[in-house]
Amino acid sequence: MEGYRKALKKKSTLWLLAFIVSLAGIGLFFIFGGGLFGLDVESRRSFGGMFGVLFIVSLGYYVSITTMLSNETKLKEQYIRSTDERNLNIEVRSSNVTLNIVMVCLFIAFITLSLFIGKNAGVIPGIAFYGIWFVKSVVKSYYNKIM
């Protein structure tokens, strides 16, 4: 349990760092984006919006982890939930299915863009598909080797 508490403290620190980076990003792109980087209004809004989403997510995770660390019963419940075999198995299976769905969508986009729009239109989905497929193959062979 103490190891889990230390891991949560590390996660809390990382989310706090993401929070600070997001504040800096919002300030840089929303406020100083035009003067420092010469960005137009739409680009400043896009970058500022991405950092705004990071700000909201990091703040939420930081607050939830901090409240969990201060409440012993919530900490125990989360520890049990995170070490439960059934939940771990669900996480593994859902991650695998999600990755396969993303790969199928990228492959369909690659084929569709290449056939109907032009040869170069499907380059990015193709690279993403084959890159994910390669990484998945390497990870799968690694786990087959060690188990």
Side-chain angles (χ1 to χ4, degrees):
M1 182 71 141
E2 195 59 38
Y4 185 69
R5 185 184 307 271
K6 287 181 184 178
L8 279 180
K9 285 181 182 179
K10 285 181 185 178
K11 281 184 183 180
S12 174
T13 304
L14 287 175
W15 282 116
L16 181 63
L17 179 66
F19 177 76
I20 293 168
V21 167
S22 67
L23 278 177
I26 289 171
L28 274 174
F29 287 106
F30 264 145
I31 299 168
F32 303 114
L36 288 177
F37 305 113
L39 297 174
D40 60 340
V41 175
E42 284 300 313
S43 296
R44 289 192 331 230
R45 287 180 185 163
S46 297
F47 283 116
M50 287 187 286
F51 280 109
V53 170
L54 179 63
F55 171 79
I56 292 168
V57 169
S58 62
L59 179 65
Y61 276 115
Y62 178 74
V63 168
S64 68
I65 290 174
T66 305
T67 56
M68 191 184 324
L69 285 171
S70 64
N71 189 345
E72 196 65 34
T73 56
K74 285 184 181 180
L75 183 66
K76 286 181 183 178
E77 288 174 5
Q78 184 62 30
Y79 176 73
I80 291 170
R81 191 177 307 132
S82 68
T83 57
D84 183 35
E85 285 291 324
R86 181 177 172 269
N87 288 339
L88 293 175
N89 194 13
I90 289 171
E91 181 69 28
V92 167
R93 288 180 185 228
S94 66
S95 296
N96 191 25
V97 169
T98 303
L99 181 64
N100 289 335
I101 290 171
V102 167
M103 287 178 62
V104 166
C105 290
L106 281 172
F107 188 70
I108 290 171
F110 166 65
I111 296 295
T112 305
L113 291 172
S114 296
L115 289 177
F116 297 114
I117 295 182
K119 291 181 182 178
N120 293 334
V123 170
I124 293 180
I127 290 171
F129 169 75
Y130 287 112
I132 291 171
W133 176 75
F134 177 73
V135 169
K136 183 178 178 181
S137 300
V138 168
V139 169
K140 188 174 182 178
S141 66
Y142 170 76
Y143 279 114
N144 282 333
K145 187 177 180 180
I146 66 170
M147 288 188 170

